[in-house]
Amino acid sequence: NGGLPLPEVAEESGSSDGSGMLAVAGILSDGCVQAFGSVRTYLKEVPNWMDAVHPHLCNNPGLVAIVTTWTEAWELAWRYMQPVSLLQLVGDLVGTIRAASCLEPTLQTMCEECDAELFLVLPRIVMLWFLGDPARRSQLMRRLLPHRFV
């Protein structure tokens, strides 16, 4: 898988001392590198079965899947790593989610199991985090909820 969904990123990184930002950047970057590695591996194998490759990209499902994964990984990284202030906010949010999971072990279990209830709880945690410092945190909220910030 080229990129991790945000709940999985939240599960694997974060702290209030800035290391959350570095962890998020590392996870997003690793997703891009892994996806690019898959593209390279695929293209190295193409000469072995060149006759089976269709000239139209859409008729090569394996290639489409790999390129789609690579594109999604790059778009996810770009969306949350630029500018650096945005990446800092993502790291801060991840640190908050981790702190909440330390206070409430049920949240940690929900993250580990991708429990459906997580997707009811996570937006509430994000909103409480935002309301703690709306002026500073609005940059990330504009990315997450662009239709609410016109």
Side-chain angles (χ1 to χ4, degrees):
N1 188 4
L4 298 175
L6 285 180
E8 198 167 327
V9 170
E11 179 183 329
E12 294 188 17
S13 62
S15 75
S16 60
D17 64 359
S19 64
M21 177 187 77
L22 295 175
V24 169
I27 290 168
L28 292 172
S29 298
D30 285 347
C32 291
V33 170
Q34 288 174 6
F36 181 69
S38 296
V39 171
R40 289 186 65 207
T41 300
Y42 184 91
L43 293 176
K44 283 180 187 176
E45 296 295 321
V46 167
N48 297 336
W49 35 270
M50 185 59 102
D51 294 339
V53 176
H54 196 278
H56 295 289
L57 174 65
C58 63
N59 294 328
N60 297 295
L63 180 58
V64 169
I66 289 170
V67 171
T68 300
T69 300
W70 184 34
T71 302
E72 289 170 354
W74 276 102
E75 288 173 354
L76 184 66
W78 174 82
R79 182 176 173 101
Y80 294 104
M81 290 177 65
Q82 292 295 324
V84 172
S85 59
L86 184 63
L87 179 59
Q88 290 169 335
L89 289 170
V90 173
D92 183 37
L93 175 57
V94 168
T96 300
I97 294 168
R98 287 192 57 99
S101 70
C102 288
L103 293 172
E104 182 54 56
T106 307
L107 178 59
Q108 181 66 32
T109 304
M110 283 189 267
C111 288
E112 289 169 359
E113 298 175 358
C114 289
D115 190 313
E117 192 174 352
L118 173 65
F119 300 99
L120 297 172
V121 172
L122 200 55
R124 293 179 174 123
I125 293 171
V126 171
M127 189 55 69
L128 289 171
W129 169 84
F130 167 67
L131 293 173
D133 190 355
R136 188 174 74 82
R137 297 172 176 166
S138 65
Q139 181 183 17
L140 178 59
M141 294 304 285
R142 287 181 206 282
R143 291 277 175 108
L144 297 174
L145 301 169
H147 58 285
R148 296 291 181 198
F149 293 87
V150 180

